[in-house]
Amino acid sequence: DKLNQEIFEREKAELALRESEEHYRSLFENMLEGFAYCQMLYDDDQNPSDWIYLSVNSSFDQITGLSGVQGKRATEVFPGIRDSSPELFKIYSRVAETGVPEMFETYFSHLSIWLRISVYQPRVDHFVAVFENITARKQTEEDLKKVVRDHQTILENVPSMILFKDTQNRYI
């Protein structure tokens, strides 16, 4: 009877593990943000030289327009990335080495989009980048800045005096 109890407990634990894996796989595949689990690669002098995409979700494909990157190096997927985006190498390697998470926004010229990226370290020399496309927000911010600059220019160059009143008809 003790053997049957042990078998029952083991089967129960295996079922719980499978359900947990299915739950997290579903979260991973259905999140709206892009997700990339990567391993940092270093040259002989221990400088970050590349990273390998170990796993990505479907939102990665949708946001980037890429597919089939799993198992590939970043320099293979994005030729010239070391020169065009050196900040990514600095940030990703720093997080992969220290374990201190970071969040930043960057213009990714290879895809002509703005990204908001959160990076954390699941284990040494590895990092996870969770990102979203913020290009529309950045464009709106730029449009608003232009409107403010235009109004400021008008106010500074109008040849007449301009007076402002508050809601109680007092000059301010």
Side-chain angles (χ1 to χ4, degrees):
D1 194 40
K2 183 176 179 177
L3 179 61
N4 285 339
Q5 183 64 27
E6 288 176 9
I7 291 171
F8 174 74
E9 291 298 325
R10 186 171 12 135
E11 288 175 350
K12 186 176 163 184
E14 288 173 0
L15 177 62
L17 179 61
R18 274 195 305 277
E19 288 175 351
S20 177
E21 287 173 353
E22 289 171 10
H23 174 75
Y24 285 104
R25 174 63 56 192
S26 175
L27 287 172
F28 172 74
E29 283 303 323
N30 292 299
M31 62 191 287
L32 298 176
E33 296 83 8
F35 176 99
Y37 174 48
C38 305
Q39 179 180 4
M40 201 73 215
L41 302 175
Y42 301 90
D43 62 20
D44 293 337
D45 296 324
Q46 293 306 304
N47 295 313
S49 62
D50 212 339
W51 63 84
I52 296 176
Y53 290 99
L54 300 176
S55 183
V56 300
N57 67 354
S58 57
S59 290
F60 177 99
D61 297 353
Q62 291 169 356
I63 292 170
T64 65
L66 303 170
S67 61
V69 302
Q70 192 165 313
K72 293 184 179 175
R73 293 173 178 245
T75 54
E76 180 182 357
V77 176
F78 303 108
I81 191 171
R82 266 187 238 140
D83 295 327
S84 64
S85 300
E87 74 282 358
L88 291 180
F89 283 83
K90 290 177 188 168
I91 295 169
Y92 289 166
S93 65
R94 186 169 53 237
V95 171
E97 292 167 14
T98 67
V100 178
E102 296 191 32
M103 183 183 298
F104 62 99
E105 295 178 357
T106 187
Y107 182 73
F108 194 63
S109 60
H110 285 281
L111 301 174
S112 300
I113 60 174
W114 277 92
L115 297 172
R116 180 175 184 263
I117 305 174
S118 297
V119 189
Y120 70 92
Q121 178 210 63
R123 60 187 239 203
V124 175
D125 292 337
H126 290 72
F127 66 91
V128 168
V130 178
F131 60 93
E132 62 181 313
N133 182 343
I134 59 166
T135 305
R137 188 195 87 202
K138 285 292 195 178
Q139 185 60 53
T140 300
E141 288 173 1
E142 283 304 311
D143 292 347
L144 184 57
K145 286 178 186 175
K146 183 182 181 320
V147 167
V148 169
R149 280 192 311 267
D150 290 350
H151 282 96
Q152 188 67 32
T153 300
I154 290 169
L155 288 173
E156 289 173 356
N157 293 299
V158 71
S160 302
M161 184 186 300
I162 299 174
L163 301 171
F164 293 95
K165 289 184 177 183
D166 64 14
T167 56
Q168 278 136 20
N169 219 14
R170 294 179 297 198
Y171 289 100
I172 36 181

